[in-house]
Amino acid sequence: MLLSQSQAGKLIKCARQAPYGKGNETLVDTTVRNTRELGPTQFEPRNTEWPGYFNDTCTEIGKGLGIDAPIRAELYKMLIYEKGALVKPHTDTEKIPGIFGTIVICRPSAHEGGDVVVTHCGQPQGLQNDRSQCLAHCPEK
């Protein structure tokens, strides 16, 4: 199920301008990060397949990284990228003890361009979306 313009509009109304981390500071600079965000208390997964999908994803990530211990993941935020949104390379300071990475889950929506490319150790890695189901809901204010 694609994210409709109406659904996107409702999410955007709930969201705030996303800041980014630079050293010990948290800054808002739309020339570095121009996107909106919802905190984990502002949305909730409602698809009954979500817990299994998320756990399977964490297991696969652990295998791929050679980690024998279970990986625990938690919803941190939802980012909403509108037309013209951008995120330039920057140093993010995560404030969750023990964090070693970020899982990006992309909700399908009709768009042109806007490819997401993550660079790790100088090597670009494209992101792909393999699910097309509704996984979250922004409660009405």
Side-chain angles (χ1 to χ4, degrees):
M1 170 188 282
L2 292 177
L3 181 64
S4 72
Q5 189 140 357
S6 172
Q7 291 170 315
K10 288 178 183 178
L11 289 172
I12 290 165
K13 280 184 182 179
C14 298
R16 69 177 183 136
Q17 180 65 46
Y20 72 98
K22 183 176 182 181
N24 291 327
E25 296 181 276
T26 300
L27 306 170
V28 173
D29 181 347
T30 57
T31 65
V32 174
R33 187 174 195 182
N34 186 12
T35 187
R36 315 257 327 143
E37 74 177 23
L38 294 172
T41 61
Q42 293 179 280
F43 67 97
E44 60 186 3
R46 288 195 175 172
N47 186 307
T48 57
E49 293 182 35
W50 175 256
Y53 172 72
F54 207 55
N55 288 335
D56 291 348
T57 300
C58 289
T59 300
E60 290 300 311
I61 290 168
K63 286 179 187 176
L65 294 174
I67 299 172
D68 294 328
I71 293 176
R72 182 182 62 82
E74 59 187 64
L75 291 174
Y76 181 62
K77 64 179 105 175
M78 177 190 294
L79 297 176
I80 304 163
Y81 293 92
E82 302 173 74
K83 183 176 183 175
L86 64 91
V87 179
K88 290 185 179 176
H90 62 279
T91 309
D92 232 356
T93 56
E94 298 295 349
K95 300 185 175 57
I96 300 172
I99 191 170
F100 68 89
T102 300
I103 299 172
V104 177
I105 299 172
C106 301
R107 172 81 190 268
S109 58
H111 67 280
E112 293 180 18
D115 293 336
V116 177
V117 177
V118 175
T119 302
H120 178 70
C121 296
Q123 298 298 312
Q125 304 290 321
L127 298 179
Q128 295 179 346
N129 180 23
D130 65 352
R131 294 284 176 137
S132 61
Q133 300 166 346
C134 179
L135 296 175
H137 167 74
C138 179
E140 297 293 326
K141 283 193 167 190

